[in-house]
PDB file of all heavy atoms in Angstrom:
ATOM      1  N   ARG A  72       2.616   9.846  -1.970  1.00  0.00           N
ATOM      2  CA  ARG A  72       1.496   9.225  -2.685  1.00  0.00           C
ATOM      3  C   ARG A  72       0.512  10.270  -3.191  1.00  0.00           C
ATOM      4  O   ARG A  72       0.092  10.248  -4.331  1.00  0.00           O
ATOM      5  CB  ARG A  72       0.771   8.229  -1.781  1.00  0.00           C
ATOM      6  CG  ARG A  72       1.506   6.948  -1.573  1.00  0.00           C
ATOM      7  CD  ARG A  72       1.532   6.144  -2.890  1.00  0.00           C
ATOM      8  NE  ARG A  72       2.312   4.963  -2.711  1.00  0.00           N
ATOM      9  CZ  ARG A  72       1.832   3.741  -2.730  1.00  0.00           C
ATOM     10  NH1 ARG A  72       0.563   3.535  -2.965  1.00  0.00           N
ATOM     11  NH2 ARG A  72       2.624   2.717  -2.553  1.00  0.00           N
ATOM     12  N   LEU A  73       0.131  11.180  -2.303  1.00  0.00           N
ATOM     13  CA  LEU A  73      -0.838  12.195  -2.705  1.00  0.00           C
ATOM     14  C   LEU A  73      -0.252  13.161  -3.729  1.00  0.00           C
ATOM     15  O   LEU A  73      -0.948  13.587  -4.653  1.00  0.00           O
ATOM     16  CB  LEU A  73      -1.363  12.934  -1.478  1.00  0.00           C
ATOM     17  CG  LEU A  73      -2.269  12.084  -0.588  1.00  0.00           C
ATOM     18  CD1 LEU A  73      -2.513  12.767   0.753  1.00  0.00           C
ATOM     19  CD2 LEU A  73      -3.580  11.764  -1.282  1.00  0.00           C
ATOM     20  N   SER A  74       1.027  13.482  -3.602  1.00  0.00           N
ATOM     21  CA  SER A  74       1.684  14.346  -4.589  1.00  0.00           C
ATOM     22  C   SER A  74       1.712  13.675  -5.958  1.00  0.00           C
ATOM     23  O   SER A  74       1.502  14.334  -6.986  1.00  0.00           O
ATOM     24  CB  SER A  74       3.106  14.684  -4.147  1.00  0.00           C
ATOM     25  OG  SER A  74       3.077  15.461  -2.968  1.00  0.00           O
ATOM     26  N   ARG A  75       1.967  12.370  -5.982  1.00  0.00           N
ATOM     27  CA  ARG A  75       1.933  11.619  -7.240  1.00  0.00           C
ATOM     28  C   ARG A  75       0.556  11.681  -7.890  1.00  0.00           C
ATOM     29  O   ARG A  75       0.428  11.895  -9.085  1.00  0.00           O
ATOM     30  CB  ARG A  75       2.305  10.157  -6.981  1.00  0.00           C
ATOM     31  CG  ARG A  75       3.636   9.767  -7.562  1.00  0.00           C
ATOM     32  CD  ARG A  75       3.830   8.270  -7.424  1.00  0.00           C
ATOM     33  NE  ARG A  75       4.929   8.059  -6.497  1.00  0.00           N
ATOM     34  CZ  ARG A  75       5.160   6.981  -5.804  1.00  0.00           C
ATOM     35  NH1 ARG A  75       4.355   5.946  -5.888  1.00  0.00           N
ATOM     36  NH2 ARG A  75       6.196   6.893  -5.015  1.00  0.00           N
ATOM     37  N   HIS A  76      -0.467  11.466  -7.068  1.00  0.00           N
ATOM     38  CA  HIS A  76      -1.833  11.539  -7.594  1.00  0.00           C
ATOM     39  C   HIS A  76      -2.122  12.949  -8.128  1.00  0.00           C
ATOM     40  O   HIS A  76      -2.744  13.102  -9.182  1.00  0.00           O
ATOM     41  CB  HIS A  76      -2.852  11.167  -6.522  1.00  0.00           C
ATOM     42  CG  HIS A  76      -2.942   9.702  -6.251  1.00  0.00           C
ATOM     43  ND1 HIS A  76      -3.473   8.807  -7.160  1.00  0.00           N
ATOM     44  CD2 HIS A  76      -2.581   8.973  -5.180  1.00  0.00           C
ATOM     45  CE1 HIS A  76      -3.435   7.587  -6.647  1.00  0.00           C
ATOM     46  NE2 HIS A  76      -2.895   7.660  -5.441  1.00  0.00           N
ATOM     47  N   ALA A  77      -1.673  13.969  -7.423  1.00  0.00           N
ATOM     48  CA  ALA A  77      -1.907  15.356  -7.856  1.00  0.00           C
ATOM     49  C   ALA A  77      -1.258  15.612  -9.210  1.00  0.00           C
ATOM     50  O   ALA A  77      -1.864  16.238 -10.083  1.00  0.00           O
ATOM     51  CB  ALA A  77      -1.386  16.330  -6.804  1.00  0.00           C
ATOM     52  N   ARG A  78      -0.020  15.130  -9.388  1.00  0.00           N
ATOM     53  CA  ARG A  78       0.660  15.317 -10.680  1.00  0.00           C
ATOM     54  C   ARG A  78      -0.098  14.616 -11.803  1.00  0.00           C
ATOM     55  O   ARG A  78      -0.264  15.167 -12.891  1.00  0.00           O
ATOM     56  CB  ARG A  78       2.100  14.800 -10.608  1.00  0.00           C
ATOM     57  CG  ARG A  78       3.055  15.771  -9.930  1.00  0.00           C
ATOM     58  CD  ARG A  78       4.512  15.374 -10.120  1.00  0.00           C
ATOM     59  NE  ARG A  78       4.821  14.050  -9.602  1.00  0.00           N
ATOM     60  CZ  ARG A  78       5.089  13.764  -8.334  1.00  0.00           C
ATOM     61  NH1 ARG A  78       5.068  14.721  -7.435  1.00  0.00           N
ATOM     62  NH2 ARG A  78       5.381  12.538  -7.968  1.00  0.00           N
ATOM     63  N   LYS A  79      -0.566  13.402 -11.544  1.00  0.00           N
ATOM     64  CA  LYS A  79      -1.320  12.666 -12.566  1.00  0.00           C
ATOM     65  C   LYS A  79      -2.600  13.407 -12.935  1.00  0.00           C
ATOM     66  O   LYS A  79      -2.952  13.511 -14.114  1.00  0.00           O
ATOM     67  CB  LYS A  79      -1.659  11.257 -12.078  1.00  0.00           C
ATOM     68  CG  LYS A  79      -0.486  10.318 -12.063  1.00  0.00           C
ATOM     69  CD  LYS A  79      -0.917   8.948 -11.580  1.00  0.00           C
ATOM     70  CE  LYS A  79       0.273   8.015 -11.514  1.00  0.00           C
ATOM     71  NZ  LYS A  79      -0.102   6.683 -11.020  1.00  0.00           N
ATOM     72  N   VAL A  80      -3.284  13.914 -11.932  1.00  0.00           N
ATOM     73  CA  VAL A  80      -4.535  14.632 -12.171  1.00  0.00           C
ATOM     74  C   VAL A  80      -4.279  15.897 -12.991  1.00  0.00           C
ATOM     75  O   VAL A  80      -5.040  16.224 -13.898  1.00  0.00           O
ATOM     76  CB  VAL A  80      -5.229  14.971 -10.831  1.00  0.00           C
ATOM     77  CG1 VAL A  80      -6.331  15.993 -11.014  1.00  0.00           C
ATOM     78  CG2 VAL A  80      -5.771  13.700 -10.189  1.00  0.00           C
ATOM     79  N   MET A  81      -3.204  16.610 -12.679  1.00  0.00           N
ATOM     80  CA  MET A  81      -2.879  17.854 -13.378  1.00  0.00           C
ATOM     81  C   MET A  81      -2.624  17.615 -14.867  1.00  0.00           C
ATOM     82  O   MET A  81      -2.862  18.498 -15.687  1.00  0.00           O
ATOM     83  CB  MET A  81      -1.649  18.526 -12.745  1.00  0.00           C
ATOM     84  CG  MET A  81      -1.870  19.003 -11.324  1.00  0.00           C
ATOM     85  SD  MET A  81      -3.131  20.264 -11.172  1.00  0.00           S
ATOM     86  CE  MET A  81      -2.254  21.668 -11.781  1.00  0.00           C
ATOM     87  N   HIS A  82      -2.140  16.447 -15.219  1.00  0.00           N
ATOM     88  CA  HIS A  82      -1.798  16.150 -16.612  1.00  0.00           C
ATOM     89  C   HIS A  82      -2.849  15.316 -17.328  1.00  0.00           C
ATOM     90  O   HIS A  82      -2.643  14.915 -18.469  1.00  0.00           O
ATOM     91  CB  HIS A  82      -0.432  15.458 -16.673  1.00  0.00           C
ATOM     92  CG  HIS A  82       0.676  16.352 -16.224  1.00  0.00           C
ATOM     93  ND1 HIS A  82       1.134  16.343 -14.920  1.00  0.00           N
ATOM     94  CD2 HIS A  82       1.374  17.311 -16.862  1.00  0.00           C
ATOM     95  CE1 HIS A  82       2.086  17.245 -14.794  1.00  0.00           C
ATOM     96  NE2 HIS A  82       2.252  17.857 -15.957  1.00  0.00           N
ATOM     97  N   ARG A  83      -3.936  15.052 -16.671  1.00  0.00           N
ATOM     98  CA  ARG A  83      -4.995  14.243 -17.282  1.00  0.00           C
ATOM     99  C   ARG A  83      -5.862  15.118 -18.179  1.00  0.00           C
ATOM    100  O   ARG A  83      -6.458  16.088 -17.724  1.00  0.00           O
ATOM    101  CB  ARG A  83      -5.834  13.605 -16.180  1.00  0.00           C
ATOM    102  CG  ARG A  83      -6.818  12.632 -16.671  1.00  0.00           C
ATOM    103  CD  ARG A  83      -6.496  11.251 -16.118  1.00  0.00           C
ATOM    104  NE  ARG A  83      -7.497  10.328 -16.548  1.00  0.00           N
ATOM    105  CZ  ARG A  83      -8.294   9.662 -15.743  1.00  0.00           C
ATOM    106  NH1 ARG A  83      -8.153   9.775 -14.446  1.00  0.00           N
ATOM    107  NH2 ARG A  83      -9.194   8.862 -16.226  1.00  0.00           N
ATOM    108  N   VAL A  84      -5.907  14.784 -19.448  1.00  0.00           N
ATOM    109  CA  VAL A  84      -6.681  15.555 -20.425  1.00  0.00           C
ATOM    110  C   VAL A  84      -8.172  15.403 -20.129  1.00  0.00           C
ATOM    111  O   VAL A  84      -8.663  14.305 -19.883  1.00  0.00           O
ATOM    112  CB  VAL A  84      -6.367  15.070 -21.865  1.00  0.00           C
ATOM    113  CG1 VAL A  84      -7.234  15.794 -22.886  1.00  0.00           C
ATOM    114  CG2 VAL A  84      -4.891  15.248 -22.175  1.00  0.00           C
ATOM    115  N   GLY A  85      -8.863  16.529 -20.137  1.00  0.00           N
ATOM    116  CA  GLY A  85     -10.306  16.511 -19.939  1.00  0.00           C
ATOM    117  C   GLY A  85     -10.752  16.429 -18.493  1.00  0.00           C
ATOM    118  O   GLY A  85     -11.946  16.284 -18.226  1.00  0.00           O
ATOM    119  N   LEU A  86      -9.825  16.503 -17.557  1.00  0.00           N
ATOM    120  CA  LEU A  86     -10.185  16.445 -16.138  1.00  0.00           C
ATOM    121  C   LEU A  86      -9.755  17.736 -15.461  1.00  0.00           C
ATOM    122  O   LEU A  86      -8.569  18.063 -15.411  1.00  0.00           O
ATOM    123  CB  LEU A  86      -9.512  15.250 -15.451  1.00  0.00           C
ATOM    124  CG  LEU A  86      -9.728  15.135 -13.940  1.00  0.00           C
ATOM    125  CD1 LEU A  86     -11.215  14.961 -13.606  1.00  0.00           C
ATOM    126  CD2 LEU A  86      -8.929  13.986 -13.371  1.00  0.00           C
ATOM    127  N   ASP A  87     -10.711  18.476 -14.954  1.00  0.00           N
ATOM    128  CA  ASP A  87     -10.424  19.694 -14.206  1.00  0.00           C
ATOM    129  C   ASP A  87      -9.923  19.282 -12.823  1.00  0.00           C
ATOM    130  O   ASP A  87     -10.664  18.651 -12.058  1.00  0.00           O
ATOM    131  CB  ASP A  87     -11.688  20.540 -14.091  1.00  0.00           C
ATOM    132  CG  ASP A  87     -11.481  21.808 -13.278  1.00  0.00           C
ATOM    133  OD1 ASP A  87     -10.346  22.079 -12.837  1.00  0.00           O
ATOM    134  OD2 ASP A  87     -12.485  22.524 -13.084  1.00  0.00           O
ATOM    135  N   PRO A  88      -8.677  19.613 -12.476  1.00  0.00           N
ATOM    136  CA  PRO A  88      -8.122  19.214 -11.175  1.00  0.00           C
ATOM    137  C   PRO A  88      -8.949  19.691  -9.983  1.00  0.00           C
ATOM    138  O   PRO A  88      -8.908  19.089  -8.915  1.00  0.00           O
ATOM    139  CB  PRO A  88      -6.737  19.860 -11.160  1.00  0.00           C
ATOM    140  CG  PRO A  88      -6.394  20.050 -12.597  1.00  0.00           C
ATOM    141  CD  PRO A  88      -7.692  20.314 -13.298  1.00  0.00           C
ATOM    142  N   ALA A  89      -9.735  20.739 -10.152  1.00  0.00           N
ATOM    143  CA  ALA A  89     -10.561  21.254  -9.060  1.00  0.00           C
ATOM    144  C   ALA A  89     -11.657  20.263  -8.666  1.00  0.00           C
ATOM    145  O   ALA A  89     -12.236  20.373  -7.584  1.00  0.00           O
ATOM    146  CB  ALA A  89     -11.186  22.582  -9.460  1.00  0.00           C
ATOM    147  N   ARG A  90     -11.918  19.287  -9.506  1.00  0.00           N
ATOM    148  CA  ARG A  90     -12.948  18.285  -9.215  1.00  0.00           C
ATOM    149  C   ARG A  90     -12.462  17.184  -8.285  1.00  0.00           C
ATOM    150  O   ARG A  90     -13.249  16.376  -7.813  1.00  0.00           O
ATOM    151  CB  ARG A  90     -13.436  17.666 -10.525  1.00  0.00           C
ATOM    152  CG  ARG A  90     -14.117  18.652 -11.454  1.00  0.00           C
ATOM    153  CD  ARG A  90     -14.425  18.039 -12.807  1.00  0.00           C
ATOM    154  NE  ARG A  90     -15.232  16.825 -12.678  1.00  0.00           N
ATOM    155  CZ  ARG A  90     -15.295  15.879 -13.611  1.00  0.00           C
ATOM    156  NH1 ARG A  90     -14.606  15.987 -14.737  1.00  0.00           N
ATOM    157  NH2 ARG A  90     -16.050  14.811 -13.426  1.00  0.00           N
ATOM    158  N   VAL A  91     -11.153  17.120  -8.044  1.00  0.00           N
ATOM    159  CA  VAL A  91     -10.557  16.025  -7.272  1.00  0.00           C
ATOM    160  C   VAL A  91     -10.172  16.507  -5.874  1.00  0.00           C
ATOM    161  O   VAL A  91      -9.522  17.542  -5.713  1.00  0.00           O
ATOM    162  CB  VAL A  91      -9.317  15.451  -7.995  1.00  0.00           C
ATOM    163  CG1 VAL A  91      -8.723  14.292  -7.204  1.00  0.00           C
ATOM    164  CG2 VAL A  91      -9.682  15.019  -9.410  1.00  0.00           C
ATOM    165  N   SER A  92     -10.576  15.743  -4.866  1.00  0.00           N
ATOM    166  CA  SER A  92     -10.244  16.076  -3.481  1.00  0.00           C
ATOM    167  C   SER A  92      -9.775  14.808  -2.759  1.00  0.00           C
ATOM    168  O   SER A  92      -9.851  13.707  -3.312  1.00  0.00           O
ATOM    169  CB  SER A  92     -11.456  16.691  -2.774  1.00  0.00           C
ATOM    170  OG  SER A  92     -12.561  15.818  -2.823  1.00  0.00           O
ATOM    171  N   PHE A  93      -9.288  14.981  -1.536  1.00  0.00           N
ATOM    172  CA  PHE A  93      -8.775  13.837  -0.782  1.00  0.00           C
ATOM    173  C   PHE A  93      -9.035  13.973   0.699  1.00  0.00           C
ATOM    174  O   PHE A  93      -9.281  15.060   1.219  1.00  0.00           O
ATOM    175  CB  PHE A  93      -7.276  13.646  -1.027  1.00  0.00           C
ATOM    176  CG  PHE A  93      -6.410  14.659  -0.312  1.00  0.00           C
ATOM    177  CD1 PHE A  93      -5.896  14.391   0.957  1.00  0.00           C
ATOM    178  CD2 PHE A  93      -6.099  15.869  -0.910  1.00  0.00           C
ATOM    179  CE1 PHE A  93      -5.109  15.316   1.617  1.00  0.00           C
ATOM    180  CE2 PHE A  93      -5.311  16.802  -0.253  1.00  0.00           C
ATOM    181  CZ  PHE A  93      -4.802  16.523   1.003  1.00  0.00           C
ATOM    182  N   LYS A  94      -8.941  12.832   1.377  1.00  0.00           N
ATOM    183  CA  LYS A  94      -8.882  12.723   2.829  1.00  0.00           C
ATOM    184  C   LYS A  94      -7.701  11.806   3.124  1.00  0.00           C
ATOM    185  O   LYS A  94      -7.468  10.857   2.386  1.00  0.00           O
ATOM    186  CB  LYS A  94     -10.145  12.081   3.404  1.00  0.00           C
ATOM    187  CG  LYS A  94     -11.422  12.852   3.198  1.00  0.00           C
ATOM    188  CD  LYS A  94     -12.591  12.088   3.801  1.00  0.00           C
ATOM    189  CE  LYS A  94     -13.905  12.774   3.600  1.00  0.00           C
ATOM    190  NZ  LYS A  94     -15.022  12.026   4.241  1.00  0.00           N
ATOM    191  N   ALA A  95      -6.978  12.072   4.187  1.00  0.00           N
ATOM    192  CA  ALA A  95      -5.837  11.230   4.547  1.00  0.00           C
ATOM    193  C   ALA A  95      -5.761  11.071   6.059  1.00  0.00           C
ATOM    194  O   ALA A  95      -6.062  12.007   6.805  1.00  0.00           O
ATOM    195  CB  ALA A  95      -4.535  11.839   4.026  1.00  0.00           C
ATOM    196  N   VAL A  96      -5.352   9.883   6.486  1.00  0.00           N
ATOM    197  CA  VAL A  96      -5.211   9.589   7.914  1.00  0.00           C
ATOM    198  C   VAL A  96      -3.865   8.912   8.131  1.00  0.00           C
ATOM    199  O   VAL A  96      -3.577   7.872   7.525  1.00  0.00           O
ATOM    200  CB  VAL A  96      -6.339   8.651   8.410  1.00  0.00           C
ATOM    201  CG1 VAL A  96      -6.119   8.271   9.873  1.00  0.00           C
ATOM    202  CG2 VAL A  96      -7.708   9.276   8.209  1.00  0.00           C
ATOM    203  N   ARG A  97      -3.063   9.511   8.979  1.00  0.00           N
ATOM    204  CA  ARG A  97      -1.820   8.849   9.386  1.00  0.00           C
ATOM    205  C   ARG A  97      -2.185   7.736  10.349  1.00  0.00           C
ATOM    206  O   ARG A  97      -2.983   7.938  11.271  1.00  0.00           O
ATOM    207  CB  ARG A  97      -0.882   9.837  10.068  1.00  0.00           C
ATOM    208  CG  ARG A  97       0.395   9.176  10.535  1.00  0.00           C
ATOM    209  CD  ARG A  97       1.323  10.162  11.184  1.00  0.00           C
ATOM    210  NE  ARG A  97       2.523   9.476  11.635  1.00  0.00           N
ATOM    211  CZ  ARG A  97       3.478  10.046  12.331  1.00  0.00           C
ATOM    212  NH1 ARG A  97       3.398  11.313  12.665  1.00  0.00           N
ATOM    213  NH2 ARG A  97       4.534   9.352  12.706  1.00  0.00           N
TER     214      ARG A  97
END
């Protein structure tokens, strides 16, 4: 799930991927 979100963010025009962060809990 997080890898999918990362790929989408990387290809989003006008969005610097460095602005996006996450927290995850198993």
